[in-house]
Amino acid sequence: MAIDAAVEMTEEIAARHGLSAEEYARIVGHLGRAPNITELGIFSVMWSEHCSYKSSRVHLRRFPTTGPRVIQGPGENAGAVDIGGGLAAVFKMESHNHPSFIEPYQGAATGVGGILRDVFTMGARPIASLDSLRFGPLTDPRHRTLLEGVVAGISGYGNCVGVPTVGGELSCHPSFAGNILVNVFTLGIAKSDRLFRGTASGVGNPVIYVGSRTGRDGIHGATMASAEFDDESDQKRPTVQVGDPFTEKLLLEACLELMSKDMIVGIQDMGAAGLTSSSCEMAGRAGTGIELWLDKVPRREPGMTPYELMLSESQERMLIVAKAGRESGVMEMFEKWDLPVAVVGRVTGSGTLRVMDGGRLAAEIPVQALTDDAPVYNRPIERPRDQDERNRFDPSALPQPDDYGRVLRTLLAVPGIAHKGWVVRQYDHMVRTNTVVRPGSDAAVIRIKGTAKGLALSVDCNSRYCFLDPRLGGALAVAEAARNISCSGATPLAVTDCLNFGSPERPETMWQFSEAVDGISEACAALGTPVVSGNVSFYNETNGAGIYPTPMIAMVGLLEDVNKRAQQGFTKEGDAILLLGETPGRLGGSEYLASIHGLETGAPPSLDLDLEKRVQAACREAIQEGLASAAHDASDGGLAVALAESCLSGPRPIGALVDLPNPGGSRADEVLFGEAASRIILSVPEGRVADVEAVARRNEAPIARIGTVGGEKLEIAVGGRGLVSEDVAGLNGAWRNALALQLGVSG
Amino acid sequence: MRFAVLVFPGSNCDHDCYHALKHVVGVEASFVWHKEESLAGFDGVVIPGGFSYGDYLRCGAIARFSPIMKAVEKFARAGGSVIGICNGFQILVEAGLLPGALIRNRGLKFICADVNLRVETTGTPYTAEFRKGEVLTMPIAHAEGNYTADPETLEKLKRNDQVVFRYCDASGNAGDAANPNGAMENIAGIVSEGGNVLGMMPHPDRCAEEILGNEDGLRLFKSMVNSLSESRV
């Protein structure tokens, strides 16, 4: 049978598909002939950075990915860890940065849709999502619009599907002015012996398509010369897909119902590169081949070419390999849920992807060429020449503020620190009635119904730290995520990441990437939290300016008894305030230095992973023994900001009287606003202070009494010298209203 | 005692209502698919929250045509207990089992937050165990909860003591500042003329357990169950 070759292939067409001359030559080598346009399209998406991880793969191998609890590491639709009781926590994080910048509502919405499918594809019911967002300065009206649109998109999609968005983080910085970040995380629960994988095994098994019909949306490279391969289609569709959360909800329920029966072999979401990647990856994992019959694919409009059908990124679609003979059972299940469903192919033993369009052979490619044999690049790495300059910082030239209270109020209004109520009010964060620590604490906590357990979730990354020192910044992101989990009382289990960087073709970016991977690896190994899934987003760059490197870390922790948990807000008058981990703060890379002095220099806080472990262990033990009524990580903005957040996060604002020790005679601003790792603020009933001190001693974690909860003011002295005295009501207003004020909307 | 928890395509608080009834209140509960046509054997019906049919046309406007809704109408007309929460309230309104309409929140945004509610009447099976004027706390989670009705309907609701809950502040004042969505006269929940059909935007299913920090919703469910037990005796 002749391969369709209506369009004569040239290197120029290949280049417009983002394939280099060498890559095109490799394709010709794999096929033993020139590809046709459909085959070229298939290669271009499968060999794209997004699908092939060609620039990152050599580095990602350094991540620790195994551990006693790991059931599924990287390489599947999502990672899975054992949480005991026959249950697995299944989770992953993904980016939807580029589409969200073009069309914030749909970009963010479809990001949520994609990550939900990655999780329920594994047979897990999604029970919680987080999102992590970066924008340019909110003084720019475009970024106010982007923020509003992204939040509305997450809200519109997640709320409708009925998966609560229980937390996340948000900050703004000029380096994101040309490239915003939208990273979404979802966690689901499955029976650990009932996980499903994306595999197309069993020659002769039917390949079944279910979900939305395929349209022309999101076709990669659809802008290129569409007239050449589709004379009927002169319309250029936007490359951002449109989400349909209602169909997603039906798909979710139908798939979970299907998975409870013994009917299917493998299942995979048609995400990026749709039908192409789902079929190739499933066949690749199983070492089989797949034959697809495009004339059977449910479609939204007539006249679609094989190229369009194979590359469409229409949302809310899944590809299933069923057990032979179970076709009718599978079809019935989806018909119950009113979803389009069709048998569109079969598993073969040929090792090739064979695409039939009616009686015509539209494409035939060895599966290996698309998956395992895709290019892998060890791209050049070069430390930025100004890296040393970035770290040079002499605090002695820095003027001390004359009003420390005003500095505190200013920092509390920085978007990254400000209360996120305006955002989380728009997310349904309670549906499924599992949210026992709501958004606004270091970690959200959800209970697992039918058990005594709970899971704590947190996502973190300080982009500025990573810009100043990507290795340390990567490690600090892991340490902070784990610290947040420990502040809820939970034991950190595992990590999923979303590595957001500029262009990998820039050696300086690859240096940042490689360093960050090393930092994350070191911290994950030390803290016993393997990386079980993740995502890389390169090319976050506009007009030659890349974003600050942002390796986002989402961590999951386990509470064996969900009732033994803590949150960050002070609740009890008269409680003692203790500081676990006495590490002195430093001004390098701090929010204070950036927001008050306009400087982004210096070295980020140092990290002693052994001390970090001891501090976190002591914190968890204090909470587990019921000794601490609140625990809060002291990170961005230093101790003063952390204390203020603890005063303002409880059911009602409450004051505190604090005297920070300063044995080394450091500058007052350094003690108040300097940042450090491995520090946790605890609120402890007066009668239990000695017990908590004993817990700290047992864990060899430094501890100091620094104050008392109570009153209407937050008063902070440094070495006995009173420097901050602010009404908590005023601080509360500055903190809670900041985001709405900067967005120019009503709270 | 057996409750039907209706499941429409897009319902997403069905599991929450089921959990609250079965595992917290301790009564029998069953999911009933919207294509079913009978409610025989059930003592009460819960229409849960969510986004039936994606809320794509108008909240509740498509769900009301589901086969099960004929059975719900019959059940309600016969005096059976029907409670519609959030999207369930919207469906009841679209089905004509409760008067008025639920339009877009005045702030045009989805709101998920705890609100205070004042109990306006204890003359319903759902509120018999509250005190009149008592202030409850319950979460809301909706974008279309702005209760709207013509003046005659409002007048009639008040005259017949059909307004069950009003949004209020912590001290029980139902002023505009305590109105989250622009609902007329701060109305958060109403009952049918017969008092047996309750529609409310707040979620009792989300505050029915100590671990969730609030049990006001549990009191509502218990009140409903107790009233039904008494009426059966």
Side-chain angles (χ1 to χ4, degrees), chain A residues 164-182:
Chain A
T165 302
V166 298
E169 49 116 67
L170 180 164
S171 64
C172 299
H173 186 275
S175 90
F176 302 102
N179 298 82
I180 63 171
L181 301 185
V182 175

Side-chain angles (χ1 to χ4, degrees), chain B residues 89 93 98-105 142 144-150 153-154 157 162-163 167 179 181-191 199 201:
Chain B
F89 186 11
V93 165
L98 289 172
L102 291 150
I103 65 171
R104 191 87 177 156
N105 294 348
H142 60 248
E144 285 92 4
N146 181 346
Y147 185 78
T148 302
D150 58 61
T153 304
L154 274 183
L157 284 173
Q162 285 173 256
V163 176
Y167 302 110
N179 188 336
N181 53 26
M184 284 183 174
E185 302 198 14
N186 286 38
I187 289 174
I190 56 171
V191 282
M201 290 313 297

Side-chain angles (χ1 to χ4, degrees), chain A residues 148 159-160 162 244-246 249-250 336-338 425-433 436 438 447 449, chain B residues 9-12 15-16 19 33 35 51 53-54 56 109-114 139 141 205-206 209 211-212:
Chain A
E148 288 211 49
N159 297 358
C160 182
D244 176 358
F246 174 58
K249 169 70 172 166
L250 301 185
K336 172 192 163 185
W337 289 92
D338 299 325
R425 263 167 78 89
Q426 296 181 56
Y427 300 153
D428 190 339
H429 50 267
M430 306 180 204
V431 61
R432 303 206 66 78
T433 60
V436 297
R438 293 180 184 178
R447 54 121 172 225
K449 285 196 187 108
Chain B
S11 294
N12 66 27
H15 289 253
D16 303 350
H19 171 77
W33 183 236
K35 288 179 187 169
F51 291 66
Y53 291 95
Y56 283 172
K109 286 191 166 33
F110 190 96
I111 306 170
C112 178
D114 281 334
D205 46 322
R206 295 185 181 193
E209 280 174 276
I211 191 169
L212 300 173

Side-chain angles (χ1 to χ4, degrees), chain A residues 631-657:
Chain A
H632 183 31
D633 161 41
S635 55
D636 298 358
L639 289 172
V641 165
L643 285 162
E645 287 170 338
S646 289
C647 288
L648 306 176
S649 298
R652 62 176 184 83
I654 187 167
L657 185 61

Side-chain angles (χ1 to χ4, degrees), chain A residues 100 104-105 135 138 140-152 422 743:
Chain A
S100 301
Y105 185 97
F135 298 92
L138 297 181
D140 178 349
R142 172 152 196 215
H143 283 272
R144 297 199 292 271
T145 306
L146 285 168
L147 191 156
E148 288 211 49
V150 164
V151 169
W422 183 85
L743 287 166

